Amino acid sequence: MESVAKQNEHRRAAVLICVFEGHGGELRVILTKRSMNFIFLPRAGDVALPEGKMEDGDADDSAIALREAMEEIGLDPHLVQVVAHLEPFNSKNQLNVVPVIGLLAKMEDFKPALNPDEVDAIFDVPLEMFFKVNFTLKYLNNIINRRRIDAH
């Protein structure tokens, strides 16, 4: 029988909020558009942060977030400095999700490599957008087509 701690570990997940400095000096956040082939069909096509559940070998929440970013968009974990963990929240799937804040010092060193099973596009938006009252997903979806990051 599994311990309660081990059971809770299986219900743990993390998202990476990867922040970098844009050309104009503004802070920007990397987002993705989930693949239309995504295995969880209700989430196919969604705009998302790199995220996923804890797997064997993940030492902590930072490790989860960095592994998922590598798997989904090819973001080398060595390029990201984890600076904070935000307050965990429960997802609609009853996962305990920890937002992990990471700084990407040199955006030019990031060479995107999208996992086509999980991601159709990668793009970035101003961090300040998340603090605006009139922020909507419609606005975000309009940005996707204008601000894609070239993947190799």
Side-chain angles (χ1 to χ4, degrees):
M1 188 163 144
E2 273 189 320
S3 69
V4 172
K6 191 70 171 169
Q7 289 173 353
N8 288 340
E9 204 173 84
H10 292 296
R11 304 303 309 160
R12 195 157 188 89
V15 298
L16 180 63
I17 304 169
C18 188
V19 179
F20 67 95
E21 186 176 343
H23 296 297
E26 76 285 2
L27 294 178
R28 303 189 70 81
V29 176
I30 296 174
L31 294 174
T32 66
K33 180 179 179 221
R34 291 197 189 284
S35 171
M36 293 309 288
N37 300 322
F38 194 62
I39 58 172
F40 301 106
L41 288 178
R43 296 172 59 197
D46 285 357
V47 171
L49 296 160
E51 56 82 22
K53 292 197 291 189
M54 178 173 256
E55 293 181 0
D56 291 339
D58 289 332
D60 55 23
D61 299 318
S62 295
I64 299 169
L66 293 172
R67 176 185 49 76
E68 285 293 336
M70 180 65 183
E71 290 176 6
E72 292 179 17
I73 62 174
L75 180 58
D76 183 340
H78 296 100
L79 297 176
V80 179
Q81 178 186 1
V82 173
V83 295
H85 292 178
L86 301 181
E87 188 71 29
F89 63 91
N90 286 322
S91 73
K92 63 182 174 182
N93 297 327
Q94 299 306 308
L95 291 172
N96 187 28
V97 182
V98 177
V100 175
I101 308 291
L103 299 179
L104 177 59
K106 294 183 178 180
M107 182 60 171
E108 61 273 11
D109 289 347
F110 173 36
K111 308 297 183 216
L114 305 185
N115 176 342
D117 292 331
E118 296 192 38
V119 176
D120 277 344
I122 179 175
F123 61 102
D124 59 84
V125 296
L127 177 63
E128 72 179 29
M129 185 177 75
F130 293 97
F131 302 110
K132 294 185 178 186
V133 176
N134 63 352
F135 170 72
T136 65
L137 286 178
K138 182 178 177 184
Y139 173 73
L140 195 54
N141 285 322
N142 287 336
I143 292 173
I144 291 172
N145 295 320
R146 292 188 313 220
R147 183 117 180 112
R148 290 181 187 236
I149 298 173
D150 292 328
H152 305 285

